Amino acid sequence: MKRGFYTIMTAQFCSSLADNALFVVAVELLRSRGAPEWQAAALVPMFALFYVVLAPFVGAFADARPKGQVMFISNAIKVVGCLLMLTPVHPLLAYSLVGLGAAAYSPAKYGILTELLPPSQLVKANGWIEGLTIASIILGVVLGGQLVGPTVSGWLRGLGIPLIGHTASAPEAAIIGLVFVYALAAAFNLRIPRTTAPLRHLPANPLALLGDFWRCNLRLWRDHLGQISLATTTLFWGVSGNLRYIVLAWAAAALGYGTTQASSLVGVVAIGTALGAVVASLRMRLEHAPRVMPLGIAMGVLVIAMNAIDNVWVAAPFLMLLGALGGFLVVPMNALLQHRGHNLMGAGRSIAVQNFNEQACILGLGFLYTAATGAGVSAFGAIAAFGALVALVMWGIQLWHATNLRRYPHELQRLFEIARRDDLHG
C-alpha cells in the first residue's frame, strides 16, 4: 500500500472507536434520565439525519479541500456534539451533531482511497478499512459498555478531570473520556498526506450544489453496474446501522441483559463482520462483486431466526455468522461502488451520493423500527418484520441485476473490463 494508507486507517480506527462507544454511552444516558425507550431507538436515525440533509454539500466540500483537513474539521464537530451532551441540550439533538461530523468525515475517509490507490488494490484496501472499522466497532461498543459500568466510571470521576465532578453520572464521565479518543484521531488526521488529485473549487452559490448532487445521484443510479452495488450497499448499511440497537433490544428481551452485557453481543456481530471482510478481501476480485448478493437474502432470514434464540451460547456463534455474511457481502460491493463512482463523477461526490442513499435507508428503517416500538410492538415482532423486509428487498436487487445482464450484456461486459484494468480507472 502507498504511504499514508496506514495513517488513514489509524485515524479512521480512533474516530470510529469513539463513535461506537458514544452510541452505547448515549443509550445509557437516556435510560439514566428516565427517557422513554423510543428515544433510545431514535438515536440511530438521528445520527443518520445529517448524512441525508447535507449530502449535496459534504461531497463537494471533501473534493474542494485536502482530505486530511476535512477529516480534522469533522472530528472537531464530533467533539462539540459530545460536550453538548453534558449541557441541558437534549441528548438526541447533541447526538445528531456528532452525526453531522460523521457525515462530513465519510466522503474524505473513503474518497481518499480512490485518489491514493488503483482499482486492483481497492478490494484489499476496503478489506483493511472495513476490517479495522469493524474492529473499532467491537472495541468501541465494549469500551462504551465498560465506561458506563461502575468500575471505570468511578475511576474517571476520581481523576479530577474538568467537567467531571464526583456527582457526575456514569455516562457523563464516559463522555469526557471519549473526547480524548477523538483528540487522538485528530492528531492522526493532521498527518494524512496530500494526494495528487486536483481540488474542485466550491461554486460561489452553494445552492448550485443541489443540482450538481442530483445529477450525480441520477448518474450513479442509471449506471447498470453502479446501481446494483449502490442498492446492495444501501440495504446493507441500512440493516447494519440499525442492528446495533436491535441487538441491544433483543438481548434485553430474550436474555434479560443490561447495556453493559448486551454491548458485548454487538461486539460479537462485529467480530463476525471483520472475519467476513478479511476473507472477502483475500478471495474476491472487483469484477466478481455481484456474486455475493445471495448473502444479503441469508442475512434477512438470520435476523428473523434471532427470535428463536434464548441461550447466550447459541446466540454468540449465531450472531458471529450473521456478521460474517455481512462482511463478505459489503467489502467487494463497496469497492465496486467506489470504483464506478470515481469514474463517473469523482471520489468525494460519489461517496456523498453513497452516504445519502445508505443513511436514508438507515433513517427510514430506523424510523419504522422506532415507530413500531413507540406503538407498543414487541422487540420480537419488530425484529421479524425487519428481517423479512431485508430478505425481500435483497431478492429484488438480485432479480434486477439478472435483468440487466439479459438486456445490456455488451455494456456490462465493457464495465467489467474497466474494473479489471488499472489503466482505465478514473
Side-chain angles (χ1 to χ4, degrees):
M1 292 297 179
K2 291 185 179 179
R3 184 180 69 88
F5 175 71
Y6 298 106
T7 307
I8 297 166
M9 286 203 307
T10 306
Q12 162 60 9
F13 174 80
C14 293
S15 188
S16 181
L17 179 76
D19 286 349
N20 286 281
L22 183 62
F23 172 74
V24 177
V25 171
V27 169
E28 189 61 21
L29 180 66
L30 287 168
R31 289 176 176 172
S32 69
R33 294 180 180 179
E37 191 64 20
W38 70 263
Q39 290 191 9
L43 285 168
V44 173
M46 287 301 290
F47 189 82
L49 179 64
F50 281 110
Y51 275 93
V52 176
V53 174
L54 296 182
F57 308 102
V58 292
F61 179 68
D63 284 339
R65 305 177 77 93
K67 299 291 191 290
Q69 189 180 106
V70 174
M71 293 163 77
F72 178 83
I73 294 170
S74 304
N75 247 340
I77 295 172
K78 292 181 181 182
V79 170
V80 173
C82 268
L83 294 175
L84 280 177
M85 289 189 179
L86 302 175
T87 71
V89 172
H90 196 285
L92 283 174
L93 294 177
Y95 192 67
S96 71
L97 187 61
V98 180
L100 189 157
Y105 195 96
S106 187
K109 171 186 72 177
Y110 283 111
I112 197 172
L113 293 182
T114 52
E115 294 180 356
L116 198 67
L117 303 171
S120 60
Q121 291 187 328
L122 279 180
V123 173
K124 183 181 290 186
N126 270 272
W128 277 100
I129 284 284
E130 295 301 336
L132 201 63
T133 298
I134 292 157
S136 72
I137 294 172
I138 300 166
L139 296 176
V141 171
V142 173
L143 174 63
Q146 294 303 312
L147 284 174
V148 298
T151 303
V152 178
S153 62
W155 176 75
L156 285 172
R157 285 192 291 263
L159 290 178
I161 300 174
L163 300 180
I164 302 180
H166 291 287
T167 59
S169 68
E172 290 170 346
I175 286 167
I176 295 300
L178 291 176
V179 168
F180 290 99
V181 183
Y182 281 124
L184 183 61
F188 282 102
N189 292 153
L190 293 174
R191 299 189 62 82
I192 292 174
R194 282 283 302 269
T195 67
T196 57
L199 300 179
R200 303 187 181 192
H201 296 292
L202 291 168
N205 180 10
L207 293 179
L209 292 171
L210 293 173
D212 177 66
F213 175 79
W214 183 247
R215 286 189 293 272
C216 289
N217 197 32
L218 290 178
R219 195 176 305 159
L220 200 49
W221 276 114
R222 288 170 177 168
D223 183 85
H224 291 118
L225 194 54
Q227 63 189 201
I228 300 303
S229 56
L230 180 55
T232 303
T233 58
T234 293
L235 180 64
F236 171 82
W237 288 113
V239 175
S240 182
N242 286 281
L243 200 58
R244 289 183 304 170
Y245 182 75
I246 286 173
V247 171
L248 290 179
W250 169 80
L255 305 175
Y257 277 9
T259 303
T260 300
Q261 292 172 300
S263 65
S264 299
L265 287 178
V266 179
V268 169
V269 178
I271 290 172
T273 311
L275 292 174
V278 170
V279 173
S281 70
L282 295 174
R283 298 186 62 88
M284 291 298 298
R285 294 178 60 84
L286 192 63
E287 64 269 23
H288 297 153
R291 296 179 183 179
V292 302
M293 285 191 288
L295 298 181
I297 300 174
M299 283 184 66
V301 174
L302 288 182
V303 169
I304 298 172
M306 283 174 59
N307 286 334
I309 299 173
D310 58 4
N311 185 302
V312 69
W313 297 108
V314 177
F318 181 88
L319 292 173
M320 187 174 291
L321 174 62
L322 177 61
L325 293 180
F328 200 94
L329 170 74
V330 75
V331 164
M333 278 298 195
N334 214 38
L336 182 61
L337 180 57
Q338 290 171 15
H339 167 69
R340 292 305 307 144
H342 181 68
N343 277 267
L344 289 169
M345 67 200 68
R349 282 169 168 80
S350 71
I351 299 300
V353 168
Q354 180 180 350
N355 283 340
F356 171 78
N357 288 279
E358 291 171 358
Q359 297 298 324
C361 187
I362 292 176
L363 194 62
L365 291 177
F367 173 78
L368 290 175
Y369 188 88
T370 302
T373 303
V377 177
S378 70
F380 299 116
I383 287 169
F386 190 87
L389 179 64
V390 168
L392 286 171
V393 173
M394 195 65 234
W395 178 64
I397 295 170
Q398 192 171 350
L399 291 179
W400 187 6
H401 180 59
T403 301
N404 283 348
L405 288 173
R406 288 195 306 271
R407 291 183 176 177
Y408 314 105
H410 299 298
E411 181 187 354
L412 285 170
Q413 184 178 3
R414 179 181 65 84
L415 295 180
F416 282 126
E417 179 62 24
I418 293 172
R420 291 186 190 98
R421 295 176 54 181
D422 289 350
D423 59 322
L424 297 179
H425 180 61

